[in-house]
Amino acid sequence: MNDRTIPPPIHDPELDRRVKDAGASKTVYALVTPETEAAKHFILGNATAGPDAARRHHLEQFRDAWTGKQFASHEAFLERWMAWASPVIAIDAAGFPWRYPTGGGSEALFHVITAYGNRARVERFNPEVHVFAGEYEGHKAYAEACGVAVVEHPRADWQAVGRALPATALFCLSQPSAIDGNVWREANDFLALLATGAKEPRVLLDVTYVGSIAEQPATRIAANSPSVQALAFSLSKPFGVYYDRIGGVLCRKAMPSLFGNQWFKNLTSLQLGQVLLDRHDVFELPRRYKSVQHEAAARVGRRLGLSLSACDVNVLAQADVSAAADRALAAFLRRPTGDPNAPLRLCLTPTMAEMIGTAGPIAIPGVAP
């Protein structure tokens, strides 16, 4: 079942300011933690009294490019990420032999969607990117920028969608889900359904929220499903390194547009990513800041008159739409927009950053913490 009538998100500057004044946001922002900043201090070392060992190592990695020694940087990082993520994701490494470092998850998503659109033009079929309503906005934005049609579906109809998806379509799916900030329990069943009878893998699996959940899911994310053609990841959300652009993509087939990334890569970001993965396992930081997340949800909820509960993703909170007295605010925060029964979702990063000391004081006129 296709639904092309889902209304666009509500843009209301007044409601947006009200949410921000309460110490939250509608947009999801990465949480910078002391652990992330400690890793940056570690890799950059001390330059004031002559370079120490850490600083010398950092500088040395940029030298002697003609030797090819820099190849090891992205290869080691991608191998390390697969091992780090393995408690949450089932990955058949041999099934994804083409692996590329990328500037966060966005570059990975864009290249996979672009390559899909190019293949459609070569093979002369009409390309369509399919998503569930309320998904990460980047999937739709990149597809539309490439001239690819986007079809949205209610997630509740996933079985019908899986059976009717055109053979040449590309489905973009995030897990844990950007729709509500939770692990979607039917995701593996959906991937299996899309694999049934399909000649080609047709899912771009976005796992950029892996590393942001505190508990191991009941079943690991089935990235090893035959339906998955590419797996995009990022450290932005797990470690608050949004502006360091640390990510990658694992592909079943070569991605020629990313071939140059084996040379054109950010060695500082890869070094930082490697250190973060080595220092903290996939659950450590969400568990460490779980109590902060719950307290932040309580504070923001009081300020907005909402009964907020923590989502699986450690910077997000949700509320039942039926318990929201302010209908305008509920409509503003509802996700997906087109579902009147959808829960409200907001980001707790501003309050959490204040609580752990990585942000300046948040001015909330007339509101006690």
Side-chain angles (χ1 to χ4, degrees):
M1 175 183 175
N2 294 348
D3 189 348
R4 298 175 183 267
T5 63
I6 296 171
I10 296 172
H11 298 287
D12 188 313
E14 183 176 341
L15 286 171
D16 184 62
R17 174 50 53 193
R18 180 179 167 192
V19 171
K20 288 181 178 178
D21 285 347
S25 63
K26 184 177 180 179
T27 301
V28 179
Y29 291 106
L31 176 67
V32 178
T33 66
E35 289 80 3
T36 296
E37 295 186 343
K40 290 186 175 184
H41 286 302
F42 174 78
I43 68 170
L44 294 178
N46 182 11
T48 58
D52 61 13
R55 176 59 65 108
R56 288 195 298 271
H57 173 71
H58 174 71
L59 296 175
E60 176 62 29
Q61 68 182 335
F62 296 92
R63 299 170 180 157
D64 308 326
W66 57 89
T67 67
K69 69 179 184 181
Q70 287 83 2
F71 273 60
S73 298
H74 73 266
E75 292 171 351
F77 169 71
L78 293 170
E79 289 285 347
R80 183 69 188 90
W81 179 83
M82 287 190 288
W84 177 82
S86 62
V88 181
I89 311 175
I91 304 173
D92 174 15
F96 294 92
W98 302 96
R99 306 166 191 167
Y100 308 93
T102 60
S106 58
E107 184 181 21
L109 298 172
F110 177 73
H111 277 266
V112 173
I113 291 171
T114 301
Y116 165 70
N118 289 338
R119 180 170 72 86
R121 282 179 272 275
V122 171
E123 298 180 10
R124 299 184 182 280
F125 64 83
N126 292 324
E128 289 184 345
V129 162
H130 290 243
V131 296
F132 289 127
E135 254 291 5
Y136 170 58
E137 295 85 348
H139 302 155
K140 181 178 180 180
Y142 293 141
E144 291 177 342
C146 294
V148 175
V150 177
V151 182
E152 294 184 282
H153 307 271
R155 195 171 66 179
D157 295 342
W158 65 270
Q159 290 178 309
V161 172
R163 295 189 190 98
L165 189 72
T168 56
L170 176 67
F171 202 100
C172 295
L173 177 72
S174 65
Q175 175 73 338
S177 179
I179 296 175
D180 55 13
N182 293 314
V183 175
W184 182 38
R185 287 182 170 82
E186 286 78 27
N188 286 356
D189 291 335
F190 181 63
L191 292 174
L193 185 59
L194 290 179
T196 303
K199 294 182 179 180
E200 297 282 344
R202 46 188 175 161
V203 176
L204 168 53
L205 185 57
D206 175 349
V207 294
T208 51
Y209 276 120
V210 166
S212 299
I213 60 173
E215 304 301 329
Q216 186 167 359
T219 56
R220 292 190 298 167
I221 301 168
N224 56 354
S225 168
S227 64
V228 178
Q229 74 170 53
L231 179 69
F233 73 90
S234 168
L235 300 192
S236 295
K237 297 180 180 76
F239 292 108
V241 290
Y242 180 90
Y243 290 109
D244 295 282
R245 312 312 301 145
I246 311 172
V249 61
L250 316 180
C251 305
R252 295 197 184 274
K253 295 182 179 180
M255 185 73 60
S257 64
L258 285 173
F259 182 76
N261 279 31
Q262 60 189 314
W263 299 293
F264 311 137
K265 60 195 179 190
N266 188 320
L267 295 179
T268 301
S269 291
L270 290 172
Q271 184 187 10
L272 175 59
Q274 184 87 21
V275 169
L276 288 168
L277 296 177
D278 288 343
R279 286 187 164 204
H280 309 286
D281 71 39
V282 72
F283 301 115
E284 182 181 340
L285 295 186
R287 286 176 177 169
R288 182 174 298 176
Y289 292 106
K290 190 171 185 178
S291 62
V292 177
Q293 177 192 14
H294 282 258
E295 176 58 25
R299 292 186 186 186
V300 172
R302 286 195 297 270
R303 295 163 184 166
L304 291 175
L306 297 172
S307 179
L308 290 174
S309 60
C311 297
D312 294 340
V313 170
N314 68 324
V315 295
L316 298 179
Q318 60 191 350
D320 189 332
V321 67
S322 63
D326 189 327
R327 309 315 295 172
L329 180 65
F332 180 65
L333 295 175
R334 184 188 298 126
R335 192 177 182 97
T337 303
D339 182 353
N341 299 313
L344 316 185
R345 192 211 72 177
L346 50 72
C347 176
L348 302 170
T349 294
T351 293
M352 292 181 68
E354 182 185 23
M355 291 174 68
I356 65 177
T358 54
I362 300 175
I364 306 172
V367 179

